[in-house]
Amino acid sequence: TQLLEQSPQFLSIQEGENLTVYCNSSSVFSSLQWYRQEPGEGPVLLVTVVTGGEVKKLKRLTFQFGDARKDSSLHITAAQPGDTGLYLCAGPPYNQGGKLIFGQGTELSVKP
Amino acid sequence: GAVVSQHPSRVICKSGTSVKIECRSLDFQATTMFWYRQFPKQSLMLMATSNEGSKATYEQGVEKDKFLINHASLTLSTLTVTSAHPEDSSFYICSAKTPGGTDTQYFGPGTRLTVL
């Protein structure tokens, strides 16, 4: 079974702190996506990483794809209450018809 | 671009009735759409892959006769929950892949189903 292990599953921090969310697998992924979801809404795409070692930045968010394309991380600098939400990593394993496997999700709460 | 809509956003029905949920790609054609189910505080669970013009592919453990999927056009897929029971209450989300061979999926806003 190909799995994406996401950690931590819950994170409660103060405004201004930094944090990192990890997404790991023993399998190779052709790409990895990061989504953010708010209660009662669908996931919203933040970024897609495709190349091993790739780093993408989206304002205070930095995404990295591992060299071997088996892991990824999301780093948030100076978190704000508006960053609160469920963060999901997802990826299509090789030769699986493009369907996505999701990590367990990270519930982030940023307190003012 | 890459906007996906779902209708209805919320539905309450009586046990034993059927409920249809629509998923539309608004500004692109989607040959493949996906249906997910999500329980509170949990991640998304893929139910089935919907292919335009052919039968859906269901994940292990998902009853195809209970969750009927129809992908009649390049912009519309429907999920019908037949003979709904309270345990079918959940948040159902669809997604669509944009043309061009990328693996990125764009998600609809979800449908909250409550079966009384």
Side-chain angles (χ1 to χ4, degrees):
Chain A
T1 304
Q2 291 159 310
L3 296 173
L4 271 174
E5 297 290 334
Q6 191 173 339
S7 63
Q9 293 190 34
F10 299 95
L11 194 54
S12 181
I13 61 173
Q14 293 295 130
E15 182 176 1
E17 292 183 11
N18 302 331
L19 67 116
T20 302
V21 178
Y22 299 94
C23 192
N24 296 298
S25 176
S26 58
S27 302
V28 175
F29 286 83
S30 53
S31 66
L32 269 179
Q33 286 94 54
W34 285 91
Y35 295 87
R36 178 168 169 265
Q37 185 182 23
E38 298 201 35
E41 299 181 10
V44 175
L45 178 70
L46 296 174
V47 78
T48 299
V49 286
V50 179
T51 307
E54 182 176 5
V55 176
K56 281 191 173 179
K57 291 194 174 184
L58 187 65
K59 296 184 180 178
R60 294 176 293 101
L61 277 61
T62 302
F63 304 86
Q64 187 163 5
F65 201 13
D67 291 340
R69 291 185 292 158
K70 293 182 179 181
D71 57 271
S72 182
S73 64
L74 157 61
H75 183 78
I76 301 180
T77 304
Q80 299 177 0
D83 295 328
T84 294
L86 179 66
Y87 290 82
L88 297 157
C89 66
Y94 256 9
N95 299 323
Q96 291 290 312
K99 62 183 182 182
L100 291 179
I101 288 179
F102 277 83
Q104 298 96 322
T106 296
E107 189 78 42
L108 172 65
S109 174
V110 182
K111 301 186 187 324
Chain B
V3 178
V4 178
S5 71
Q6 266 181 258
H7 178 79
S9 58
R10 225 176 247 280
V11 57
I12 300 173
C13 69
K14 292 183 179 180
S15 187
T17 61
S18 294
V19 173
K20 181 186 284 188
I21 303 170
E22 293 185 348
C23 178
R24 293 181 186 272
S25 56
L26 297 186
D27 50 1
F28 64 99
Q29 293 183 330
T31 54
T32 306
M33 291 184 172
F34 302 86
W35 287 96
Y36 295 84
R37 186 172 179 176
Q38 186 177 33
F39 292 104
K41 302 293 186 184
Q42 292 188 22
S43 189
L44 278 70
M45 181 186 75
L46 179 66
M47 297 175 65
T49 301
S50 172
N51 300 296
E52 188 268 337
S54 64
K55 290 184 179 180
T57 304
Y58 291 82
E59 294 301 299
Q60 192 172 8
V62 178
E63 299 176 58
K64 61 180 181 181
D65 295 329
K66 180 164 186 63
F67 298 100
L68 300 178
I69 292 173
N70 184 275
H71 195 152
S73 78
L74 287 171
T75 59
L76 173 65
S77 175
T78 61
L79 168 67
T80 301
V81 183
T82 62
S83 186
H85 290 277
E87 58 264 32
D88 298 324
S89 298
S90 191
F91 194 51
Y92 291 88
I93 312 174
C94 72
S95 71
K97 287 177 61 175
T98 56
T102 67
D103 294 317
T104 299
Q105 293 181 21
Y106 294 88
F107 287 82
T111 296
R112 171 72 59 194
L113 170 63
T114 302
V115 185
L116 302 176

